[in-house]
Amino acid sequence: IVEKSRRIVISWCDRACMLWAMGLQRERRIVAGTTKEKAGLHVDRLAFVYEQIRKRNPAWGLPLARVYQAQDVTGMIILPNGSKCERTEQDHTKLQGEGYAGVTIEELSLFRRPDKMIAQGGFIVQGSAGSIGGNVVAIANANPNPYWQDLKPKVKEQFYG
C-alpha cells in the first residue's frame, strides 16, 4: 500500500515500472479504479508511456502496441510481445481470473470495500502449483476515513506478516 499525494506522481511511476515488467516477459496485468473510466485513464497512461518511448527512440524499432478504446477511455493495451493490461472497476466480484502477474488498485482508500478488493487481488495473482505468483499494488490517498485507517494495518499484516 502506497499512500500518495499529487506531488509524488506515484501512479505514473507505477505505470513505468509496470511497462518495464511487461516488456521483459509476457504478462497479464489489471488496473482497478473506482470506476471503469478512472481505471481506463491509468491504462491510458501505460499506453502513453509506451508510445513516448517508441517515438523518442526510433532506432529501437519498437512496433505499435494495440490499444482498445471503450467509451473514449482505454480499456486494454496489448504490447507487441503479447503482454496485456486491462481495466476493471471497484466491484471486487469483477476482479476474476488467475495467473495475473500484477494487480494495481488505484485510489484504494476511496473504494466501498477496500478489504474485499485487496483480498480478491491476492487471489488472482496466486501462481499455480510450482509457479511464481504476482503482486498487488494498492495506491491510496491519505484519507482520514476511520474505516480506511483501521484497515491499513490489517492489510499490511495479511500480506507482509
Side-chain angles (χ1 to χ4, degrees), residues 2-139:
V2 178
E3 285 192 279
K4 69 174 186 171
S5 72
R6 297 202 183 278
R7 293 188 180 149
I8 63 171
V9 294
I10 193 66
S11 295
W12 281 99
C13 293
D14 185 64
R15 294 310 85 78
C17 290
M18 185 185 289
L19 181 61
W20 173 72
M22 290 171 67
L24 292 175
Q25 65 183 13
R26 190 176 186 169
E27 297 186 335
R28 291 185 322 151
R29 292 184 169 265
I30 194 161
V31 176
T34 54
T35 65
K36 282 185 181 178
E37 293 74 25
K38 288 186 178 184
L41 294 174
H42 290 282
V43 177
D44 197 43
R45 288 179 179 180
L46 186 65
F48 175 81
V49 171
Y50 179 81
E51 186 58 20
Q52 290 302 305
I53 291 170
R54 199 180 76 72
K55 284 181 178 177
R56 293 171 188 228
N57 300 283
W60 293 1
L62 293 174
L64 287 169
R66 290 179 293 181
V67 178
Y68 298 91
Q69 299 287 110
Q71 292 136 8
D72 297 326
V73 179
T74 302
M76 180 183 349
I77 178 174
I78 301 176
L79 298 181
N81 71 353
S83 286
K84 175 170 61 169
C85 181
E86 55 194 299
R87 69 174 186 185
T88 193
E89 60 189 297
Q90 69 173 308
D91 180 357
H92 67 279
T93 63
K94 294 185 179 176
L95 194 58
Q96 300 289 325
E98 61 182 24
Y100 280 86
V103 173
T104 298
I105 306 169
E106 282 286 343
E107 308 287 352
L108 178 68
S109 56
L110 302 178
F111 278 45
R112 287 185 301 270
R113 291 301 309 266
D115 55 336
K116 299 283 187 193
M117 200 66 181
I118 285 279
Q120 190 64 21
F123 287 131
I124 73 167
V125 297
Q126 289 179 358
S128 56
S131 72
I132 298 172
N135 60 48
V136 177
V137 174
I139 299 173

Side-chain angles (χ1 to χ4, degrees), residues 1 118 150-161:
I1 296 176
I118 285 279
D150 183 52
L151 177 64
K152 282 190 300 187
K154 292 175 185 172
V155 169
K156 289 178 181 176
E157 174 76 20
Q158 176 185 351
F159 283 96
Y160 305 112

